[in-house]
Amino acid sequence: MASSTDRNAAKRVAIVGAGTSGLAACKHLLARGFRPVVFEAGASVGGLWTRTLASTRLQSPHVAYRFSDFPWPEGVDWFPSHDQVVDYLAAYARRFGVDECVRFRSRVVAAEHVGEDDDAADGEMWAGNGEAFGIDGAGVWRLTVLHGDSDATQMYEFDFLILCIGRFSGVPNIPAFPPNGGPDAFRGQVLHSMDLSDMDDADAAALVKDKRVAVVGSGKSAYDIAAECAEANGVEHPCTMVCRSPQWIVHDTEVWGKVNLGYLFVNRFAELMIRKPEAGIVSSLLATLLTPLAWLISKVTEAYYKKAIPMREYGMEPEYGFAGSISACKTGMLPDGLAFYDRVKDGSIVFRRSRSFSFCEDGLVLDGADDHQRVVVPADLVILATGFRGDQKLRDMFVSPRVKEIVAGSSDTTVPLYRECVHPRIPQMAVIGYSDSLTNIYTSEMMAKWVARFLDGAFRLPSVRRMEQIVAEWGRYMKRSSGDRFRRSCLGAVNIWYNDQLCRDMGCKQRRKKGLVAEWFQPYGPADYADIQ
Ligand SMILES: Cc1cc2nc3c(=O)[nH]c(=O)nc-3n(C[C@H](O)[C@H](O)[C@H](O)COP(=O)(O)OP(=O)(O)OC[C@H]3O[C@@H](n4cnc5c(N)ncnc54)[C@H](O)[C@@H]3O)c2cc1C
């Protein structure tokens, strides 16, 4: 009889993408005896970290942004630079033999599930029996891959497909514009932040030098770009940041210099204050009773940041609370900490609030600004830091119109994935890295562990109907907790609870700290799950 290692080695598993998610997926599959093939469009591992702005750093401290069993080298910066992140990811790939599985410069241009009939796809159990590889004779995934620079494609067949293609790269989100108000109306140049990240550092610096730059967006990338432009051009050519809705972009993680944010928002006690999906009535009742405490913690945190950062003075005070920003994964770190606001004070960076914008010949036209007047921001270069269309990127992978239609949900739902990994109606496939959290590598690796054990036969999925109910419940939670900031799935405020569900499925213990006080009050992080291999 074949051992489980032989059985797993014989299964054909494809991973698409060698960013943090793909690396984790490959490592954990190797650990369980699989021999996956990783197709990576780029020439090296690391995903988006290989293509960032010169100044991009991790926003999460390195202790929180790490693989569970692979600490950072001694002496690394508290917030590592993008080069340090790439080195760390490459070292991980080498250490666990992941790099030997990767086929670089190999872009998957189409994925098609063949062999299943429509009844199987709409059956009661996923893939017929709720197992990774389905009932005997279940379908295969046929991948069309473009290697190197050639136009010729090759076909491959796999028993299981894991998509790790990245939510925050590849397909830019470009806002819709009124007729004659799009980029064509502008005589200057328009780029997406992604284009700037893809450029060589020297070329990017030369591009912004001596230009009037307008950056649209209020997330971390917009702040990074504005800081780089201010550094290059100073007050002579101020950089205008056009923001619709300011976010909590803060300077440090120690509230009032004393308490780390982790103790306030990333421990079990903090999660007691939240009405969680799949939690019972007692848990929901307790959360309701603790609402005043949750409110107080959020207010104390907000008060600290409002005192330390002159956001009010410049009209950049967020309209929602800090806790809401954790729930919606909208919190970020200021480039250079409070020094960023020195650039605002000296006039190198100018904030403009606007609900919408369009282009005119000379620059941007802001609409619905604070004073409700139409304002023109003159510019030579406009950079759209307006995010990504991860949903579209996912749809673009597939040949089948049915899969294209269902895979990413609709514009007002999350990508409908059970345990944020498996679509209830798409068999033999998992997606990793499509849910945000306070540190994404932590979540992606937990998903990778869950997917690897699932493929190893450690557990079965519940019925399709039950999975859909659970997906809907998590979706409702995310919409409720993010309010009108809802854009995508975010586990920021319920990460431990989410990990509990994964651990329960995998048959691993959920409580992972030593002692009651630590269990309830210490922040949870990747290292707490290091023993789950
Ligand atoms: C500027 C920026 C800063 C960030 N900073 C932080 C941070 O500080 N902390 C944090 O937690 N998160 C941060 N994030 C979120 C970040 O997305 C995740 O931390 C993580 O790096 C995502 O990894 P990934 O592997 O899921 O995706 P990616 O890194 O995007 O990797 C996807 C990989 O798939 C490949 N690929 C895609 N499509 C195909 C295809 N069809 N065929 C073959 N290969 C393909 C791509 O080439 C790429 O290598 C940041 C994101 C951005 C954009």
Side-chain angles (χ1 to χ4, degrees):
M1 217 169 109
S3 70
S4 70
T5 309
D6 292 342
R7 202 182 56 227
N8 290 349
K11 291 289 185 194
R12 298 166 302 172
V13 180
I15 297 170
V16 186
T20 55
S21 304
L23 297 180
C26 186
K27 186 260 184 181
H28 287 285
L29 284 174
L30 286 171
R32 307 200 84 76
F34 293 94
R35 295 282 168 266
V37 176
V38 184
F39 293 108
E40 166 53 53
S44 56
V45 301
L48 64 82
W49 291 104
T50 60
R51 300 177 296 272
T52 65
L53 301 175
S55 63
T56 300
R57 290 185 165 271
L58 263 186
Q59 316 186 57
S60 336
H62 67 80
V63 286
Y65 194 96
R66 53 165 278 192
F67 294 111
S68 59
D69 58 349
F70 194 69
W72 286 80
E74 290 287 322
V76 74
D77 299 345
W78 186 245
F79 293 105
S81 68
H82 63 90
D83 289 332
Q84 289 175 318
V85 179
V86 171
D87 289 347
Y88 171 75
L89 298 176
Y92 179 80
R94 276 194 306 276
R95 163 73 184 79
F96 295 106
V98 170
D99 44 7
E100 287 161 30
C101 304
V102 187
R103 299 195 194 166
F104 292 107
R105 305 182 74 228
S106 301
R107 176 176 295 281
V108 177
V109 291
E112 187 173 20
H113 192 248
V114 288
E116 122 249 46
D117 59 23
D118 282 350
D119 290 346
D122 286 332
E124 207 175 300
M125 298 300 291
W126 199 78
N129 59 4
E131 293 178 11
F133 299 100
I135 45 175
D136 279 348
V140 292
W141 280 98
R142 186 172 294 157
L143 302 186
T144 310
V145 182
L146 202 55
H147 292 288
D149 294 328
S150 89
D151 286 341
T153 55
Q154 280 192 29
M155 295 269 209
Y156 300 87
E157 286 192 349
F158 291 93
D159 303 308
F160 200 94
L161 172 63
I162 306 177
L163 294 181
C164 303
I165 57 177
R167 206 182 198 316
F168 301 103
S169 54
V171 182
N173 176 42
I174 307 291
F177 299 105
N180 305 321
D184 289 348
F186 176 47
R187 68 169 160 219
Q189 195 177 353
V190 183
L191 293 179
H192 186 267
S193 60
M194 185 181 91
D195 305 315
L196 202 64
S197 302
D198 283 344
M199 289 169 79
D200 182 57
D201 290 350
D203 291 344
L207 180 75
V208 300
K209 185 78 187 150
D210 297 331
K211 294 214 176 76
R212 297 168 302 171
V213 183
V215 184
V216 181
S218 42
K220 169 70 176 155
S221 294
Y223 278 81
D224 282 353
I225 295 168
E228 286 197 6
C229 293
E231 179 70 30
N233 296 331
V235 289
E236 223 167 293
H237 299 295
C239 173
T240 308
M241 261 184 85
V242 177
C243 306
R244 181 170 52 190
S245 165
Q247 301 182 14
W248 288 98
I249 307 289
V250 301
H251 65 298
D252 75 359
T253 50
E254 301 294 312
V255 176
W256 294 107
K258 290 190 169 40
V259 189
N260 187 278
L261 282 175
Y263 284 91
L264 299 175
F265 297 99
V266 196
N267 58 21
R268 273 197 195 278
F269 184 73
E271 292 198 4
L272 269 188
M273 297 181 245
I274 290 169
R275 272 176 56 211
K276 298 179 282 293
E278 287 188 81
I281 185 124
V282 176
S283 163
S284 299
L285 251 170
L286 194 58
T288 308
L289 287 174
L290 289 170
T291 303
L293 182 58
W295 178 86
L296 186 67
I297 291 173
S298 186
K299 287 290 158 203
V300 168
T301 310
E302 287 161 35
Y304 166 64
Y305 288 126
K306 284 183 190 174
K307 184 162 190 293
I309 306 170
M311 47 179 90
R312 183 174 294 166
E313 207 177 318
Y314 296 102
M316 291 302 284
E317 195 176 307
E319 283 155 10
Y320 54 94
F322 194 83
S325 139
I326 298 272
S327 304
C329 294
K330 290 276 184 189
T331 317
M333 299 300 295
L334 282 169
D336 303 327
L338 290 176
F340 180 88
Y341 273 87
D342 292 341
R343 296 299 199 171
V344 181
K345 277 182 209 153
D346 73 16
S348 314
I349 296 172
V350 177
F351 288 121
R352 302 304 305 236
R353 295 281 301 277
S354 177
R355 275 188 283 279
S356 63
F357 73 99
S358 57
F359 287 89
C360 65
E361 203 177 328
D362 294 331
L364 290 178
V365 182
L366 309 188
D367 236 354
D370 279 349
D371 50 9
H372 297 284
Q373 279 177 9
R374 189 174 178 273
V375 176
V376 173
V377 174
D380 306 307
L381 172 65
V382 173
I383 303 174
L384 304 174
T386 42
F388 296 87
R389 289 291 308 274
D391 54 341
Q392 191 55 45
K393 190 176 181 183
L394 205 49
R395 285 188 192 100
D396 289 347
M397 288 294 304
F398 299 97
V399 173
S400 150
R402 182 188 81 92
V403 176
K404 275 183 191 292
E405 191 186 326
I406 64 173
V407 67
S410 62
S411 58
D412 67 341
T413 63
T414 56
V415 172
L417 299 172
Y418 174 69
R419 299 288 186 246
E420 307 299 314
C421 292
V422 160
H423 192 291
R425 291 192 185 269
I426 307 179
Q428 294 165 265
M429 185 191 89
V431 179
I432 296 181
Y434 259 62
S435 293
D436 229 355
S437 77
L438 298 183
T439 82
N440 289 351
I441 199 170
Y442 167 37
T443 326
S444 286
E445 196 198 4
M446 283 304 290
M447 292 172 179
K449 292 177 186 204
W450 184 88
V451 169
R453 288 191 176 222
F454 173 50
L455 266 68
D456 197 19
F459 57 91
R460 273 178 188 211
L461 299 179
S463 70
V464 168
R465 187 180 291 263
R466 180 69 193 132
M467 285 197 284
E468 285 179 334
Q469 284 167 350
I470 292 173
V471 169
E473 202 175 332
W474 280 79
R476 279 194 296 276
Y477 154 74
M478 284 170 194
K479 283 187 84 169
R480 186 176 70 233
S481 62
S482 302
D484 54 13
R485 294 167 305 285
F486 173 77
R487 297 285 178 276
R488 56 181 183 265
S489 163
C490 168
L491 298 164
V494 290
N495 218 149
I496 306 170
W497 175 244
Y498 168 72
N499 288 348
D500 285 351
Q501 313 310 309
L502 301 190
C503 286
R504 200 181 53 210
D505 295 343
M506 293 188 283
C508 304
K509 73 176 188 311
Q510 300 171 4
R511 303 281 158 99
R512 309 198 64 84
K513 302 272 193 195
K514 286 204 179 75
L516 216 60
V517 175
E519 183 59 48
W520 283 98
F521 296 101
Q522 252 184 21
Y524 256 83
D528 291 309
Y529 299 90
D531 63 309
I532 303 180
Q533 289 299 324

